Amino acid sequence: MTFGTELRRHRQDAGLTLAELSSRILMHRTHIHHVETGRRAPTAELAEAADTALHANGALVAEFLREHSQRQEQAATRKTLAASLATSRDLMALADLEIDQLHAGVEETAVDYLAQAPGPMLLRADTLRRDALQRLQDYRHGPHERADLYVAAGRLSGILAYAALDLGDADAALEHARAAGRCAQYAGDTELLMWVRGTQSLIARFNGDYGIALDYVRDGLQYAGDVPGSGEARLVCGEVQCLANLGDSRGANRTLHLAEQARERIHRPDSLAGLFEFSETKQRYYAASSLIWLDGGDDARTAATEAEAAIASWKQMAPEQRSLDDERLCHIYLATAQVQLGEVEAAAEAMAPVLALPAEAQISWINKRAHRVSSMLSAPRFQHSHAATDLREAITALGT
């Protein structure tokens, strides 16, 4: 629902043409048409006049206020994204990073990111990183604290990369990731560098560049060995996603077994939780999100099983431990596998929590993957399925 569609509905319900409404509210009918079709944003004056003329009882004014608030929030997010990019460029340009101290907020932000919208997390991470950069530029640090703040700046840049990607800006995400990688190299932190390579691979996969994504994975895997955390398992799971998207079922399934072996080799926990931890639940999520790109059959059945297991695991966790965006995406992956298996009613049930999300919770990944389900439902075999038509229409309305 948008202000434009609501305005058109109320106008049509009142039996008025554009010209008739134009004469009542003293605004040109072309302008009203542009507002109805979304080509122009409404004004408070138009909303109030149309609400009165169409006897909408405040509904049009309320919709205008909701959209106006949303536009202001989106503008603020875009401004923060632009400012955070400038800081990434500053980090990239510095030959030496001198750092005063680790910021206590880094760990909290990494954990909070799992359950928060990307916009506020973008702002918080950018604020923390600006403070780190200011301390750097003012040389307010001890001689032995350099590597620690390299790591802090790198982690914050990594959080910004995730936020930018969740907001649909892959170019900004890649630039933040490069800054994170540079910081990891300066700090000599192999664990962080492996995480960055996994994130760069994720961004490449978002863009559909699976060959480049594989290069990032293989570069990261050269550092595997006596490194704490789950970085190797995460990278190998990224390789599974690449192989599946390239249509290699045998290679994808073989590499899934290698990912399980990599998890068994974890002997020390990740240095930081939240966004920087690759849990067993997340590994199941990766398996599901990979196998749905193959041709159905056994791969689809395995994907559905893994997705159901991941969702069940998340539901048992404390709220602060759940990765809400991943959990929502897992519902889409489950629905995708079920559509591949011809189980449309089950797919609709899996999609229900996603379809009920408010627009601000629908990150770029959700819209991208949900509309693939819609496209699959357009196949000839679903032509006479009312359930397929209903689900396809519900997905089309996502984000409106």
Side-chain angles (χ1 to χ4, degrees):
M1 181 180 69
T2 67
F3 179 89
T5 58
E6 281 295 281
L7 175 60
R8 182 169 61 250
R9 183 176 68 81
H10 279 280
R11 176 178 62 77
Q12 291 173 343
D13 287 348
L16 297 181
T17 65
L18 283 169
E20 290 168 339
L21 179 59
S22 172
S23 66
R24 291 193 183 190
I25 66 175
L26 303 179
M27 292 186 184
H28 198 280
R29 65 182 182 181
T30 301
H31 177 71
I32 299 172
H33 173 68
H34 285 167
V35 170
E36 285 190 354
T37 56
R39 294 176 63 185
R40 288 186 182 174
T43 63
E45 181 185 7
L46 184 149
E48 291 168 0
D51 196 283
T52 300
L54 298 173
H55 305 291
N57 298 319
L60 288 174
V61 172
E63 182 59 21
F64 165 80
L65 292 174
R66 186 191 70 79
E67 283 195 6
H68 182 67
S69 174
Q70 192 175 70
R71 281 194 296 272
Q72 286 184 317
E73 183 179 341
Q74 289 171 347
T77 296
R78 287 193 296 270
K79 184 176 179 181
T80 302
L81 180 58
S84 66
L85 277 176
T87 307
S88 263
R89 289 163 187 152
D90 286 343
L91 284 168
M92 291 289 290
L94 288 169
D96 265 331
L97 287 181
E98 301 269 330
I99 303 174
D100 179 29
Q101 62 181 20
L102 289 172
H103 295 282
V106 176
E107 181 176 354
E108 180 182 350
T109 303
V111 172
D112 287 351
Y113 192 97
L114 299 181
Q116 300 291 328
M121 290 294 97
L122 181 82
L123 178 60
R124 189 200 295 184
D126 184 54
T127 300
L128 286 167
R129 197 178 61 163
R130 283 177 175 275
D131 182 60
L133 186 59
Q134 189 62 54
R135 291 172 185 272
L136 160 74
Q137 292 171 332
D138 292 345
Y139 293 93
R140 291 185 286 116
H141 59 84
H144 303 297
E145 295 172 329
R146 180 178 189 171
D148 284 344
L149 196 45
Y150 269 132
V151 172
R155 286 171 174 164
L156 290 166
S157 296
I159 292 170
L160 288 167
Y162 257 80
L165 193 63
D166 284 342
L167 291 166
D169 194 333
D171 291 338
L174 190 58
E175 205 161 339
H176 286 314
R178 288 191 188 114
R182 185 67 57 86
C183 290
Q185 289 171 330
Y186 288 158
D189 191 311
T190 304
E191 181 186 3
L192 177 58
L193 186 57
M194 289 178 69
W195 184 89
V196 171
R197 291 293 181 262
T199 301
Q200 289 171 313
S201 178
L202 177 67
I203 297 166
R205 297 196 300 273
F206 180 90
N207 285 332
D209 298 327
Y210 299 106
I212 294 172
L214 276 173
D215 288 341
Y216 280 126
V217 165
R218 288 162 184 169
D219 184 79
L221 286 173
Q222 70 175 309
Y223 304 106
D226 189 25
V227 179
S230 54
E232 182 186 3
R234 179 172 180 249
L235 284 164
V236 177
C237 283
E239 183 174 358
V240 175
Q241 286 195 338
C242 293
L243 294 171
N245 276 275
L246 292 170
D248 185 355
S249 174
R250 181 176 296 179
N253 282 281
R254 182 179 63 249
T255 309
L256 271 177
H257 291 300
L258 295 178
E260 292 170 3
Q261 293 172 8
R263 175 157 297 280
E264 292 171 1
R265 286 195 292 271
I266 297 174
H267 57 282
R268 284 181 287 168
D270 294 279
S271 298
L272 199 63
L275 196 60
F276 295 89
E277 180 182 25
F278 191 73
S279 66
E280 185 174 354
T281 302
K282 189 68 176 279
Q283 190 157 334
R284 287 183 174 275
Y285 159 90
Y286 260 64
S289 68
S290 301
L291 297 178
I292 56 168
W293 295 99
L294 296 166
D295 294 331
D298 288 341
D299 287 322
R301 279 184 278 275
T302 301
T305 298
E306 294 289 351
E308 288 170 340
I311 292 168
S313 178
W314 271 314
K315 286 181 177 178
Q316 293 174 0
M317 294 181 187
E320 65 273 10
Q321 295 177 312
R322 293 170 71 171
S323 178
L324 292 183
D325 287 332
D326 288 340
E327 188 175 336
R328 292 159 181 165
L329 279 165
C330 210
H331 278 273
I332 301 177
Y333 300 145
L334 174 57
T336 304
Q338 289 165 334
V339 170
Q340 288 175 324
L341 295 169
E343 300 170 3
V344 179
E345 289 81 4
E349 184 179 347
M351 285 290 296
V354 177
L355 297 174
L357 289 173
E360 61 272 17
Q362 296 166 19
I363 64 170
S364 60
W365 287 100
I366 286 176
N367 285 293
K368 197 170 187 176
R369 297 302 180 236
H371 283 91
R372 181 187 177 221
V373 177
S374 177
S375 177
M376 292 167 63
L377 291 168
S378 300
R381 66 172 172 151
F382 299 119
Q383 184 176 356
H384 302 296
S385 168
H386 294 299
T389 300
D390 290 344
L391 181 53
R392 191 169 64 248
E393 289 177 353
I395 293 172
T396 300
L398 202 63
T400 63

